[in-house]
Amino acid sequence: MNKLVSLTRNFSSSSSLNAIKTVTVIGGGLMGSGIAQVAAQAGQNVTIVDLKPELLENAQKSIQNNLRRVGKKTFKDDAAKIENFVKESTSRINTSTKVEDGVNADLIIEAIVEKLDVKQELFNKLDQLAPEHTILATNTSSISINAIGAGIKRKDRYGGLHFFNPVPVMRLLEVIKGDQISEATYQTLMEWGKSIGKTCITCKDTPGFVVNRLLGPYSAEAIRLYERGDASKEDIDIGMKLGAGYPMGPFELADYTGLDTNKFVMQVMYEQTKDPVFRPVPLLDKMVAEGKLGIKTGEGFYKYKKSNL
Ligand code: 3HC
């Protein structure tokens, strides 16, 4: 199915939703706002919760911009339809700085900072406050979902939903099975993924799940290749784009996702597996220490003009 048809179907199939009608996303950063956007454009009512009001404001702005991009793709030059799509989708999104305002939802997805103790505390609170039927999910990219949910009672109604950046564009959703997830919860999460236009794959709670388990060593090897002076970063990027069909080379991708994220994912996987493929990469550590985190800071492996940020 081409992208256009899939986006249109995504928007027009909003009425066929069954189980999950209301979604709360905790965390208004890049991933959280992307998740909120795809749920809202699929017809679901969404609440975004973030402690920082300025992040909620940014999230609303970026969602509007990205909805317009999706609208243009879906409705071509029909300005009225595009505006209607943006207006209807944004009208389904509420924001709050209080977790309590988001607990009455069918599905609550956490997309906050990647810190185990902070996530655990949030899930324990959500477990106490949310109604019985609410499913809790984490968008962690690399922390064990069993560890995050260790303190909750509703382990049968808990799982991982790992999205990819940029969420509105990337078609994959990894549905992660915790040790005690029920079949009904798993099926509901798979159905929900479909309802927001994603193709779902399933993985056990294993370090990096499927995609980051493979992307991690790939990215690390690319940096090591460059660090040794075997090839330039530009040539390595061209190599993987033209020789392997990747949309971005490994250095472009690292700048795009953020070098700090890259380092963190690798670090967590090294701690969990002790596999030397995830061992620290000195150049990556140095760049992160220097604050060269990629597009978001204006410099990573490449430099970025303000207009591209
Ligand atoms: N929202 C909506 N639409 C968007 C968008 C967004 N945030 N970003 C881009 N688009 C749309 C554009 O409007 C454009 O639409 P068009 O085809 O109708 O013109 C289309 O997507 C392509 O965008 P651009 O023309 O701006 O740029 P590119 O063609 O270079 O594509 C890209 C950009 C989609 C990011 C592409 O380079 C890509 O797929 N890169 C790889 C990204 C990737 O690997 N992501 C996974 C990272 S790993 C991860 O997320 C895991 C986590 O745990 C760390």
Side-chain angles (χ1 to χ4, degrees):
M1 191 181 354
N2 71 30
K3 267 203 277 181
L4 178 66
V5 175
S6 120
L7 283 166
T8 317
R9 177 180 291 187
N10 189 8
F11 182 46
S12 58
S13 71
S14 54
S15 58
S16 66
L17 286 172
N18 39 39
I20 307 283
K21 293 192 175 69
T22 50
V23 178
T24 289
V25 181
I26 316 259
L30 193 66
M31 298 305 280
S33 58
I35 299 167
Q37 178 188 330
V38 291
Q41 75 191 41
Q44 298 159 23
N45 291 317
V46 182
T47 303
I48 310 174
V49 176
D50 200 295
L51 301 177
K52 297 183 183 151
E54 66 275 15
L55 262 184
L56 290 173
E57 245 173 69
N58 287 346
Q60 278 168 318
K61 276 186 211 148
S62 85
I63 289 173
Q64 281 229 352
N65 290 340
N66 289 332
L67 278 170
R68 203 152 274 124
R69 286 164 101 163
V70 174
K72 275 187 193 149
K73 219 182 290 181
T74 313
F75 303 109
K76 297 255 164 59
D77 295 327
D78 194 331
K81 278 194 179 156
I82 296 169
E83 278 318 303
N84 189 39
F85 168 73
V86 174
K87 216 170 124 196
E88 275 195 13
S89 303
T90 46
S91 74
R92 292 188 203 105
I93 301 176
N94 287 310
T95 60
S96 174
T97 53
K98 292 193 202 103
V99 167
E100 287 76 4
D101 291 340
V103 290
N104 280 314
D106 299 325
L107 172 65
I108 303 179
I109 304 170
E110 166 273 315
I112 62 167
V113 62
E114 287 280 88
K115 285 200 176 130
L116 177 61
D117 55 340
V118 182
K119 285 184 192 281
Q120 284 175 328
E121 199 183 314
L122 173 65
F123 274 99
N124 294 346
K125 187 169 179 182
L126 292 172
D127 192 31
Q128 281 170 16
L129 296 177
E132 270 300 296
H133 80 283
T134 304
I135 296 176
L136 306 180
T138 170
N139 175 54
T140 183
S141 57
S142 47
I143 302 176
S144 157
I145 74 152
N146 288 324
I148 293 171
I152 63 169
K153 295 207 176 72
R154 64 181 81 198
K155 291 190 172 66
D156 57 325
R157 281 151 288 148
Y158 168 72
L161 290 173
H162 184 217
F163 286 83
F164 295 85
N165 184 25
V167 176
V169 180
M170 303 309 282
R171 291 159 58 199
L172 184 70
L173 176 62
E174 289 182 322
V175 177
I176 316 302
K177 283 180 145 181
D179 284 351
Q180 295 182 47
I181 191 171
S182 69
E183 184 57 23
T185 300
Y186 165 66
Q187 291 301 343
T188 304
L189 292 178
M190 294 292 281
E191 276 305 309
W192 180 73
K194 246 196 267 171
S195 81
I196 57 162
K198 302 297 179 197
T199 297
C200 299
I201 60 170
T202 306
C203 188
K204 287 185 188 161
D205 185 20
T206 179
F209 315 128
V210 171
V211 176
N212 281 344
R213 184 73 182 235
L214 299 175
L215 271 184
Y218 158 73
S219 172
E221 271 311 295
I223 303 171
R224 290 187 188 112
L225 197 62
Y226 168 54
E227 204 175 20
R228 287 196 300 267
D230 293 340
S232 70
K233 56 183 186 305
E234 291 81 4
D235 277 0
I236 298 170
D237 275 347
I238 292 172
M240 293 315 291
K241 284 190 284 188
L242 303 190
Y246 285 29
M248 285 175 165
F251 297 98
E252 292 167 333
L253 183 59
D255 279 359
Y256 186 73
T257 48
L259 271 59
D260 51 341
T261 304
N262 213 306
K263 175 179 150 79
F264 179 80
V265 168
M266 228 109 74
Q267 195 177 310
V268 173
M269 290 204 282
Y270 188 54
E271 280 160 17
Q272 291 176 14
T273 64
K274 301 290 177 235
D275 188 329
V277 291
F278 300 113
R279 71 191 181 282
V281 186
L283 177 59
L284 184 62
D285 290 348
K286 180 171 173 284
M287 291 177 69
V288 171
E290 289 169 354
K292 294 177 185 167
L293 306 184
I295 295 176
K296 63 186 168 190
T297 58
E299 186 175 353
F301 288 103
Y302 300 104
K303 287 192 173 147
Y304 300 87
K305 289 199 189 104
K306 259 224 151 97
S307 57
N308 296 334
L309 301 181

